[in-house]
Each structure stands twice: as C-alpha cells, then as structure tokens.
Amino acid sequence: MEERIMIAGFGGQGVMAIGQILTYAGMIEDKNVSWLPSYGPEMRGGTANCGVIISNEPVGSPVVVNSTSAIIMNKPSLDKFEKFVNKGGKLFVNSSLIEAKSERDDIDVYYIPANEIANELGNSRVANMVMLGAYLEATKAIGMKSIEEGFVKVFGEERAHLLPINKEALKKGGEFVREQKKFLETKSY
Amino acid sequence: MRKVLMKGNEAIGAAAIEAGCKYFFGYPITPQSELPEYMARELPKIGGVFLQAESEIAAINMVYGAAGSGVRVMTSSSSPGMALKQEGISYMAGAELPCVIVNIMRGGPGLGGIQPSQTDYFQATRGGGNGDYRLVVLAPADVQELVDLIIEGFDIADQYRNPVMILGDGMIGQMMEPVEFKEPKKRDLPEKDWATTGTEGKRKPNIINSLYLAPEELEKHNIKLQAKYREIKEKEVKVQSYNIEDGDVVIAAYGTTSRIVKTAISQLEREGYKVGLIRPITLWPYPYEEFQKINDECKGILTVEMNNGQMIDDVKIAVEGKYPVYFYGRTGGMVPTPDEIVKKVKEIHGGEI
C-alpha cells in the first residue's frame, strides 16, 4: 500500500493541518509516513499545499508529484494539481468554491460541497475535515480512531474539545462520498 | 520511547537539547528559522541560553566563546548566512573548538532563493574559510537520521575537538517524519581540561587561540591538526550502499537527493534494470573506499545532486578513472524528479552518452 496525497488550497483553509493529521494517523498505524509542505514567500490568501505519503515501504522521495489522491480546496489548486493524479486515482473537489468540473475521465472524481456542509454544522472552519472525511471514506487508507488521535496530537489537548464537531465533519464528508460512490461503481475505464 | 512526528528543523533543536546542548546563537533565515524559533522557546525552560545575534558573524563568534568555556553549543543558518560564518568556523577549527553547525541549504550563489539545494558541498567539505582545516560534515537523508547525527555530532565534536557540520537542505528542514530519540553509541570522551572555566588560582590559565606568529609553531600546530584529521578519516567514515556488487549503473547521491534516487531505482528495478547506490553519510571524511567495491562490469557512475556538480569531484577521485562518471543535477531550488533520473540511467545503460 502506498498513498501519495496532494492537499492544496488557500492559506487558512487548513490544508496543512489535515495533511498533518493524516500523517500522524498513518504513523499511529505503524506505516512509513512523510509530510512535505510547500514553503516560500507566501502571503495570506495565497496558495498552500502539502504532500503526504503513507506507505508500507520506507518513503523514498517525499515529493508528491504523481498522486494516488488529491484533495483540492480551491480553483487555482485544481488547475495546478488535477493533471498529476495517477490514472485510476481519486480527486476530491471542494465544490462549494470550485464551479468547474474535472477534465479527467480516467480517475474517480468526488465533488463535495465542503463549505456548505461545514456551515450547516455551524463552523465554516471544519470544511477541511469534511474533505478529509470524504477522502477516508473513499480510500479507507486510515482508520477513524487513528485520525481522531492524530487530531489531538496536531491541535493539542487544549483544543481536544473541538474534536466532536470535527468528527461530525469527517462523518458528513464520508456520507457524501458513499452516495457518489454508488454512482462511480457503475463506471468503468 | 514512542515515535513523534516532527518537522526537520524542530527535530534538530530537540535532538541538540537531548545531546546536552544548552546554548544556541543564531540569526534567522529561511528555510531553517523554525530551529532558532524552537530553541528560543525551549532553551530558557532548561536553564539554557538562546540569543538572536545581530548578525551571523556575531553568532558564530558567540559560539566560539561558549565552546571555549567547554559547553555544548550550536548555531544554524542557511547558505548565504553560512557564508558569513566562515571566518569564525576557520578560527574554531584552528583553535580546536567543538561545536555543531547546521546548514539547511538553499539555492545560490549570492542571496539566491529559499528552496532546497545542495550548492554548499564545496563550502562545507573544502572549507569556506582560510587555512588547512577540515570539518566533519554529516549529511542526513531523513528526519530520523538527522536526529541521530545531531546527537552523535556533539560527541564527535567533543571527541576530536573539532566543529561538526550538519549539511541538510530546505526539504529535510521543512518536512515532517516520525522520529524517536535513541542513545548514541558510547564514546570515550576526553575531559575538557583545555576549557577556559576560571583557574580558581589553582592552575595556569588556559588560552584558546588560533594565532601562532612563529612559523615553526604554526607548522607544528598544523601537523597536529593533520594527524587528527587522519584519525577522523580512519574512524568516522559513514556510508550506505545498495547493490553495488551487481548494479550495471551505480548512482552516488547524498541527503534528500538520495531518497529521490531510491524511488528512481525502485522504478528501474520494476523494469528489470540493475542499479546500485552509494550514499555518503559523511561528506568529510568521504567514503572513497566504498567505490572500490563496485563490480568491474559497471557501465558508469551517475552522480545526482541539487547543484551543478560538486560531489562529482569526490566521486571522480574515488573511482580513479576506472568507470566513466556522469552527472545529473537541478539547481535554483528545483528538485529532480525520479523520472528524470530514470531517463538518465537508461541513457547510460544504453550507451547513449
């Protein structure tokens, strides 16, 4: 098993955070993991991304170029990373902010209105967790218990009280994917 | 101890503290600023000192002073900042002061950029400062090895009374990987009876200096230094090799670049190619002898670096003309992809270059 995940969006959408949670959770499950952020002379509202690798084998290059999955939170990131998803890979698009449809017909694309779902839950900041929930449901790469443990590791015990709403966001993202999965299963490449 | 997920730069700080380093003098520069930030937060908690100096030059001279008093001390910077520290580094090598210096390299020359590179290989291994001196240069490829080498680096520095340099790049500084803190192999470390700790009226003052005006004395001092460097060369070489007895092509790469090479090698093996790897962990002393173990039928050595070809000089020295030596590199903060390396290996394998 080797998951190579590109997570990208605007600064402030929590793309680094869900990458770290996923990485921590992979480590908890005794996988080999790495998390590599983009860094640079970035500004608020600029694009941010991180590449996460979760593998049974030691991680070679930590640079995620050809990804098995991509979690895309905004349009510029879709334009940049859509083409690098491996054939047969999975693309998760935040359809609340991205009107465009993917041009790829050789990958599974999930459209998740992450901001709307997060707003319904009462906290717009959990949109990233909705996307993460969608990813976890579609790939089954990591168990939910490890993700919850990873959340506390990344955000610290003092913010553990935010876990319930984040769990809810993960669940909603998952539910949304289950619906779309039924449709995708009828599709063949 | 349980594994924790840490960013390379923070892991350096944690490892240094684990090794008993209580003093850090530095000046911020991307892509290593999380390290001084970490030290600024953590050192006061253990009664240590973090000081942001007015410049890199001031910082390295503060390290000189602290090391002279016998404590474990560290500084860090990135390429252009490291260039500024060279005078102090040469003085420390001359005065035989132990310390650990971290260079998280970025693209150059000049102010360059802030993305990963390996353009300071010459500076680190040939000496950016004046005089016949050597640093022990350690090049970790992942965050665990980074932690291990920092901890061992302090011991090496103390054992030989010599500055040790950790040579990483922006990638290893910025990335997160699981780490655990392990005891290094026990070394017999000499008493620091040379340190300037105050005589209490009981002994003659210790003097720490790199100035020897009488040529006879300076030559004697240099002979002593060279004897020490010979001992380091005999005892401290570290290298990791893979399939060099069988590889049709052998790649030489260090640090994070070696990981990209490993991914390329897996790809090539799936296609039926036999490719070996020599990954120097110590860049000085360089593992020249390892190259003697490469099989006679090997078609060539490919050196892959994030620069325009610096370690390739050592590879050429190592193979003594026995194999053709090729180069592939990206610069300016561009990171080579496994596909690019695969293509180059196939060209060598097919006799196209």
Side-chain angles (χ1 to χ4, degrees), chain B residues 143-189:
Chain B
V143 180
Q144 180 64 59
E145 193 174 51
L146 175 63
V147 162
D148 296 343
L149 290 176
I150 292 278
I151 294 174
E152 194 181 357
F154 276 102
D155 280 355
I156 294 173
D158 278 350
Q159 183 171 340
Y160 298 100
R161 281 187 66 181
N162 207 69
V164 167
M165 179 169 281
I166 305 289
L167 200 62
D169 61 60
M171 205 182 331
I172 201 167
Q174 292 294 323
M175 71 186 293
M176 286 179 109
E177 279 186 315
V179 288
E180 54 186 331
F181 293 87
K182 299 172 279 194
E183 280 276 312
K185 70 169 187 200
K186 264 269 167 281
R187 285 171 185 263
D188 221 357
L189 298 179

Short mmCIF file of all heavy atoms in Angstrom, two decimals, chain B residues 143-189:
data_model
loop_
_atom_site.label_atom_id
_atom_site.label_comp_id
_atom_site.label_asym_id
_atom_site.label_seq_id
_atom_site.Cartn_x
_atom_site.Cartn_y
_atom_site.Cartn_z
N VAL B 143 14.50 12.52 8.60
CA VAL B 143 14.46 13.26 9.86
C VAL B 143 15.01 12.40 11.01
O VAL B 143 15.67 12.91 11.91
CB VAL B 143 13.04 13.79 10.15
CG1 VAL B 143 13.00 14.55 11.47
CG2 VAL B 143 12.58 14.72 9.03
N GLN B 144 14.77 11.09 10.96
CA GLN B 144 15.34 10.21 11.99
C GLN B 144 16.87 10.27 11.98
O GLN B 144 17.51 10.40 13.01
CB GLN B 144 14.87 8.76 11.79
CG GLN B 144 15.42 7.79 12.82
CD GLN B 144 14.93 8.13 14.24
OE1 GLN B 144 13.74 8.13 14.50
NE2 GLN B 144 15.85 8.44 15.16
N GLU B 145 17.42 10.16 10.77
CA GLU B 145 18.88 10.20 10.67
C GLU B 145 19.42 11.57 11.08
O GLU B 145 20.49 11.68 11.68
CB GLU B 145 19.31 9.86 9.24
CG GLU B 145 20.79 9.56 9.13
CD GLU B 145 21.20 9.09 7.75
OE1 GLU B 145 20.86 9.76 6.73
OE2 GLU B 145 21.86 8.05 7.66
N LEU B 146 18.66 12.60 10.77
CA LEU B 146 19.02 13.96 11.19
C LEU B 146 19.18 14.03 12.70
O LEU B 146 20.17 14.53 13.22
CB LEU B 146 17.94 14.92 10.68
CG LEU B 146 18.01 16.40 11.06
CD1 LEU B 146 19.25 17.04 10.51
CD2 LEU B 146 16.76 17.13 10.54
N VAL B 147 18.20 13.49 13.40
CA VAL B 147 18.23 13.47 14.87
C VAL B 147 19.44 12.66 15.36
O VAL B 147 20.20 13.10 16.22
CB VAL B 147 16.90 12.87 15.40
CG1 VAL B 147 17.03 12.42 16.84
CG2 VAL B 147 15.79 13.90 15.27
N ASP B 148 19.62 11.48 14.79
CA ASP B 148 20.73 10.61 15.22
C ASP B 148 22.08 11.30 15.01
O ASP B 148 22.97 11.22 15.85
CB ASP B 148 20.72 9.29 14.44
CG ASP B 148 19.47 8.47 14.72
OD1 ASP B 148 18.78 8.75 15.72
OD2 ASP B 148 19.16 7.55 13.93
N LEU B 149 22.22 11.97 13.86
CA LEU B 149 23.51 12.59 13.54
C LEU B 149 23.78 13.85 14.37
O LEU B 149 24.93 14.17 14.66
CB LEU B 149 23.60 12.90 12.05
CG LEU B 149 23.72 11.67 11.13
CD1 LEU B 149 23.71 12.08 9.66
CD2 LEU B 149 24.97 10.85 11.44
N ILE B 150 22.71 14.56 14.72
CA ILE B 150 22.90 15.72 15.62
C ILE B 150 23.44 15.23 16.96
O ILE B 150 24.42 15.76 17.49
CB ILE B 150 21.56 16.48 15.83
CG1 ILE B 150 21.10 17.17 14.55
CG2 ILE B 150 21.67 17.46 17.00
CD1 ILE B 150 21.72 18.48 14.26
N ILE B 151 22.79 14.20 17.48
CA ILE B 151 23.19 13.69 18.80
C ILE B 151 24.62 13.15 18.74
O ILE B 151 25.46 13.48 19.58
CB ILE B 151 22.18 12.62 19.30
CG1 ILE B 151 20.81 13.28 19.56
CG2 ILE B 151 22.70 11.94 20.57
CD1 ILE B 151 19.69 12.33 19.92
N GLU B 152 24.90 12.35 17.72
CA GLU B 152 26.26 11.80 17.60
C GLU B 152 27.26 12.91 17.25
O GLU B 152 28.42 12.88 17.66
CB GLU B 152 26.30 10.69 16.54
CG GLU B 152 27.60 9.89 16.64
CD GLU B 152 27.74 8.78 15.62
OE1 GLU B 152 26.78 8.56 14.84
OE2 GLU B 152 28.81 8.15 15.60
N GLY B 153 26.77 13.91 16.49
CA GLY B 153 27.64 15.01 16.06
C GLY B 153 28.28 15.73 17.24
O GLY B 153 29.45 16.11 17.21
N PHE B 154 27.49 15.92 18.32
CA PHE B 154 28.06 16.58 19.52
C PHE B 154 29.18 15.73 20.12
O PHE B 154 30.19 16.27 20.59
CB PHE B 154 26.96 16.84 20.55
CG PHE B 154 26.20 18.11 20.29
CD1 PHE B 154 24.95 18.08 19.70
CD2 PHE B 154 26.75 19.34 20.63
CE1 PHE B 154 24.25 19.26 19.44
CE2 PHE B 154 26.06 20.52 20.39
CZ PHE B 154 24.81 20.49 19.79
N ASP B 155 28.99 14.41 20.11
CA ASP B 155 30.04 13.52 20.63
C ASP B 155 31.28 13.57 19.75
O ASP B 155 32.40 13.62 20.26
CB ASP B 155 29.52 12.06 20.68
CG ASP B 155 28.66 11.81 21.92
OD1 ASP B 155 28.55 12.72 22.76
OD2 ASP B 155 28.11 10.70 22.03
N ILE B 156 31.07 13.53 18.43
CA ILE B 156 32.22 13.58 17.51
C ILE B 156 32.99 14.88 17.73
O ILE B 156 34.22 14.90 17.81
CB ILE B 156 31.75 13.47 16.04
CG1 ILE B 156 31.13 12.08 15.78
CG2 ILE B 156 32.91 13.71 15.07
CD1 ILE B 156 30.48 11.92 14.41
N ALA B 157 32.25 15.98 17.85
CA ALA B 157 32.88 17.29 18.06
C ALA B 157 33.74 17.27 19.32
O ALA B 157 34.89 17.73 19.31
CB ALA B 157 31.81 18.37 18.14
N ASP B 158 33.18 16.73 20.39
CA ASP B 158 33.92 16.71 21.66
C ASP B 158 35.10 15.75 21.60
O ASP B 158 36.16 16.03 22.17
CB ASP B 158 32.98 16.30 22.81
CG ASP B 158 32.16 17.48 23.31
OD1 ASP B 158 32.45 18.62 22.89
OD2 ASP B 158 31.23 17.26 24.11
N GLN B 159 34.90 14.60 20.95
CA GLN B 159 35.97 13.61 20.89
C GLN B 159 37.21 14.16 20.19
O GLN B 159 38.34 13.93 20.61
CB GLN B 159 35.49 12.34 20.18
CG GLN B 159 36.55 11.25 20.15
CD GLN B 159 36.00 9.93 19.63
OE1 GLN B 159 34.81 9.69 19.62
NE2 GLN B 159 36.91 9.07 19.17
N TYR B 160 36.99 14.90 19.11
CA TYR B 160 38.13 15.37 18.31
C TYR B 160 38.42 16.86 18.49
O TYR B 160 39.27 17.41 17.78
CB TYR B 160 37.88 15.06 16.82
CG TYR B 160 37.76 13.57 16.55
CD1 TYR B 160 36.51 12.97 16.39
CD2 TYR B 160 38.89 12.77 16.46
CE1 TYR B 160 36.40 11.60 16.16
CE2 TYR B 160 38.79 11.41 16.23
CZ TYR B 160 37.53 10.83 16.08
OH TYR B 160 37.43 9.48 15.85
N ARG B 161 37.66 17.51 19.35
CA ARG B 161 37.80 18.97 19.48
C ARG B 161 37.76 19.63 18.11
O ARG B 161 38.66 20.34 17.69
CB ARG B 161 39.13 19.34 20.17
CG ARG B 161 39.11 19.17 21.66
CD ARG B 161 40.39 19.72 22.28
NE ARG B 161 40.50 21.17 22.12
CZ ARG B 161 41.54 21.88 22.57
NH1 ARG B 161 42.54 21.28 23.18
NH2 ARG B 161 41.58 23.19 22.38
N ASN B 162 36.65 19.42 17.42
CA ASN B 162 36.55 19.93 16.05
C ASN B 162 35.10 20.32 15.76
O ASN B 162 34.17 19.63 16.20
CB ASN B 162 36.98 18.83 15.07
CG ASN B 162 37.54 19.41 13.78
OD1 ASN B 162 38.62 20.00 13.79
ND2 ASN B 162 36.81 19.25 12.70
N PRO B 163 34.88 21.39 14.99
CA PRO B 163 33.50 21.70 14.61
C PRO B 163 32.94 20.61 13.71
O PRO B 163 33.64 20.05 12.87
CB PRO B 163 33.63 23.01 13.82
CG PRO B 163 34.95 23.58 14.20
CD PRO B 163 35.83 22.41 14.52
N VAL B 164 31.66 20.30 13.91
CA VAL B 164 30.94 19.32 13.10
C VAL B 164 29.84 20.07 12.37
O VAL B 164 29.13 20.87 12.96
CB VAL B 164 30.34 18.20 13.98
CG1 VAL B 164 29.34 17.36 13.20
CG2 VAL B 164 31.45 17.32 14.56
N MET B 165 29.72 19.82 11.08
CA MET B 165 28.66 20.47 10.32
C MET B 165 27.60 19.47 9.90
O MET B 165 27.93 18.39 9.40
CB MET B 165 29.22 21.18 9.08
CG MET B 165 28.11 21.84 8.27
SD MET B 165 28.73 22.93 6.99
CE MET B 165 29.15 24.36 7.96
N ILE B 166 26.35 19.84 10.11
CA ILE B 166 25.24 19.04 9.60
C ILE B 166 24.78 19.74 8.32
O ILE B 166 24.39 20.91 8.34
CB ILE B 166 24.07 19.00 10.61
CG1 ILE B 166 24.53 18.50 11.98
CG2 ILE B 166 22.90 18.19 10.06
CD1 ILE B 166 24.88 17.05 12.06
N LEU B 167 24.85 19.01 7.21
CA LEU B 167 24.50 19.62 5.93
C LEU B 167 23.17 19.05 5.45
O LEU B 167 23.08 17.89 5.04
CB LEU B 167 25.62 19.33 4.92
CG LEU B 167 25.67 20.24 3.70
CD1 LEU B 167 25.93 21.68 4.09
CD2 LEU B 167 26.75 19.77 2.72
N GLY B 168 22.13 19.87 5.57
CA GLY B 168 20.81 19.45 5.09
C GLY B 168 20.34 20.43 4.05
O GLY B 168 21.08 21.33 3.64
N ASP B 169 19.11 20.28 3.62
CA ASP B 169 18.57 21.25 2.66
C ASP B 169 17.16 21.62 3.10
O ASP B 169 16.63 21.05 4.05
CB ASP B 169 18.57 20.67 1.25
CG ASP B 169 17.72 19.44 1.14
OD1 ASP B 169 16.49 19.52 1.41
OD2 ASP B 169 18.25 18.37 0.80
N GLY B 170 16.58 22.58 2.40
CA GLY B 170 15.25 23.07 2.76
C GLY B 170 14.22 21.97 2.90
O GLY B 170 13.31 22.06 3.71
N MET B 171 14.38 20.91 2.11
CA MET B 171 13.38 19.85 2.15
C MET B 171 13.39 19.14 3.49
O MET B 171 12.37 18.96 4.13
CB MET B 171 13.64 18.86 1.01
CG MET B 171 12.37 18.15 0.63
SD MET B 171 12.48 16.92 -0.67
CE MET B 171 13.78 17.39 -1.69
N ILE B 172 14.58 18.72 3.94
CA ILE B 172 14.65 17.98 5.21
C ILE B 172 14.32 18.90 6.39
O ILE B 172 13.79 18.47 7.41
CB ILE B 172 16.02 17.29 5.38
CG1 ILE B 172 15.88 16.14 6.39
CG2 ILE B 172 17.11 18.25 5.80
CD1 ILE B 172 17.07 15.21 6.41
N GLY B 173 14.61 20.20 6.23
CA GLY B 173 14.27 21.15 7.29
C GLY B 173 12.77 21.33 7.45
O GLY B 173 12.25 21.47 8.55
N GLN B 174 12.08 21.31 6.32
CA GLN B 174 10.65 21.64 6.33
C GLN B 174 9.75 20.42 6.50
O GLN B 174 8.61 20.54 6.94
CB GLN B 174 10.27 22.35 5.02
CG GLN B 174 10.88 23.73 4.87
CD GLN B 174 10.37 24.72 5.89
OE1 GLN B 174 9.21 24.71 6.25
NE2 GLN B 174 11.26 25.57 6.37
N MET B 175 10.23 19.25 6.12
CA MET B 175 9.32 18.10 6.12
C MET B 175 9.13 17.50 7.51
O MET B 175 9.95 17.69 8.39
CB MET B 175 9.82 17.02 5.15
CG MET B 175 11.06 16.30 5.61
SD MET B 175 11.68 15.18 4.33
CE MET B 175 10.38 13.98 4.27
N MET B 176 8.02 16.80 7.68
CA MET B 176 7.75 16.09 8.94
C MET B 176 7.86 14.60 8.71
O MET B 176 7.34 14.08 7.72
CB MET B 176 6.34 16.40 9.43
CG MET B 176 6.16 17.78 10.00
SD MET B 176 4.44 18.02 10.51
CE MET B 176 4.62 18.02 12.28
N GLU B 177 8.53 13.93 9.65
CA GLU B 177 8.60 12.48 9.64
C GLU B 177 8.62 12.00 11.09
O GLU B 177 8.97 12.76 11.99
CB GLU B 177 9.88 12.01 8.92
CG GLU B 177 9.76 12.02 7.42
CD GLU B 177 10.96 11.43 6.71
OE1 GLU B 177 12.11 11.75 7.08
OE2 GLU B 177 10.75 10.64 5.80
N PRO B 178 8.30 10.71 11.28
CA PRO B 178 8.35 10.18 12.65
C PRO B 178 9.80 10.08 13.13
O PRO B 178 10.68 9.72 12.36
CB PRO B 178 7.76 8.76 12.51
CG PRO B 178 7.07 8.74 11.20
CD PRO B 178 7.79 9.73 10.33
N VAL B 179 10.02 10.40 14.39
CA VAL B 179 11.36 10.24 14.97
C VAL B 179 11.26 9.65 16.36
O VAL B 179 10.26 9.80 17.06
CB VAL B 179 12.14 11.57 15.09
CG1 VAL B 179 12.57 12.07 13.75
CG2 VAL B 179 11.34 12.64 15.81
N GLU B 180 12.32 8.94 16.75
CA GLU B 180 12.49 8.59 18.16
C GLU B 180 13.90 8.95 18.56
O GLU B 180 14.81 8.95 17.74
CB GLU B 180 12.15 7.13 18.43
CG GLU B 180 12.87 6.14 17.57
CD GLU B 180 12.37 4.71 17.79
OE1 GLU B 180 11.89 4.42 18.90
OE2 GLU B 180 12.44 3.90 16.86
N PHE B 181 14.05 9.26 19.84
CA PHE B 181 15.37 9.70 20.32
C PHE B 181 16.08 8.52 20.98
O PHE B 181 15.60 7.98 21.96
CB PHE B 181 15.20 10.87 21.29
CG PHE B 181 14.68 12.09 20.58
CD1 PHE B 181 13.31 12.29 20.40
CD2 PHE B 181 15.55 13.01 20.03
CE1 PHE B 181 12.83 13.38 19.71
CE2 PHE B 181 15.08 14.12 19.34
CZ PHE B 181 13.71 14.30 19.17
N LYS B 182 17.19 8.13 20.36
CA LYS B 182 17.92 6.96 20.83
C LYS B 182 19.28 7.38 21.39
O LYS B 182 19.85 8.36 20.98
CB LYS B 182 18.14 5.98 19.67
CG LYS B 182 16.84 5.47 19.06
CD LYS B 182 17.08 4.66 17.79
CE LYS B 182 17.31 5.54 16.58
NZ LYS B 182 17.22 4.83 15.28
N GLU B 183 19.77 6.57 22.31
CA GLU B 183 21.13 6.78 22.84
C GLU B 183 22.14 6.52 21.72
O GLU B 183 22.05 5.51 21.04
CB GLU B 183 21.40 5.78 23.98
CG GLU B 183 20.80 6.18 25.30
CD GLU B 183 21.70 7.14 26.08
OE1 GLU B 183 22.90 6.87 26.18
OE2 GLU B 183 21.18 8.16 26.55
N PRO B 184 23.10 7.40 21.53
CA PRO B 184 24.14 7.10 20.54
C PRO B 184 25.10 6.05 21.10
O PRO B 184 25.09 5.80 22.30
CB PRO B 184 24.86 8.43 20.37
CG PRO B 184 24.68 9.13 21.68
CD PRO B 184 23.37 8.66 22.26
N LYS B 185 25.91 5.46 20.21
CA LYS B 185 26.92 4.51 20.72
C LYS B 185 27.86 5.27 21.66
O LYS B 185 28.22 6.42 21.40
CB LYS B 185 27.67 3.84 19.56
CG LYS B 185 28.60 4.77 18.80
CD LYS B 185 29.52 3.99 17.86
CE LYS B 185 30.52 4.97 17.27
NZ LYS B 185 31.20 4.63 16.07
N LYS B 186 28.19 4.60 22.75
CA LYS B 186 29.01 5.25 23.78
C LYS B 186 30.41 5.54 23.24
O LYS B 186 31.05 4.69 22.67
CB LYS B 186 29.11 4.36 25.01
CG LYS B 186 28.09 4.71 26.08
CD LYS B 186 28.67 5.73 27.08
CE LYS B 186 27.63 6.37 27.98
NZ LYS B 186 26.85 7.44 27.37
N ARG B 187 30.86 6.75 23.44
CA ARG B 187 32.22 7.12 23.07
C ARG B 187 32.98 7.51 24.32
O ARG B 187 32.39 8.04 25.27
CB ARG B 187 32.22 8.32 22.12
CG ARG B 187 31.81 8.00 20.71
CD ARG B 187 31.62 9.30 19.93
NE ARG B 187 31.11 9.01 18.59
CZ ARG B 187 31.87 8.91 17.50
NH1 ARG B 187 33.18 9.09 17.58
NH2 ARG B 187 31.34 8.65 16.32
N ASP B 188 34.26 7.26 24.28
CA ASP B 188 35.11 7.66 25.38
C ASP B 188 35.50 9.11 25.16
O ASP B 188 36.40 9.40 24.37
CB ASP B 188 36.37 6.78 25.36
CG ASP B 188 36.75 6.36 26.76
OD1 ASP B 188 36.07 6.82 27.69
OD2 ASP B 188 37.73 5.61 26.91
N LEU B 189 34.81 10.02 25.80
CA LEU B 189 35.07 11.43 25.52
C LEU B 189 36.12 11.99 26.48
O LEU B 189 36.03 11.77 27.69
CB LEU B 189 33.78 12.24 25.61
CG LEU B 189 32.71 11.83 24.59
CD1 LEU B 189 31.46 12.69 24.78
CD2 LEU B 189 33.21 11.95 23.16
#
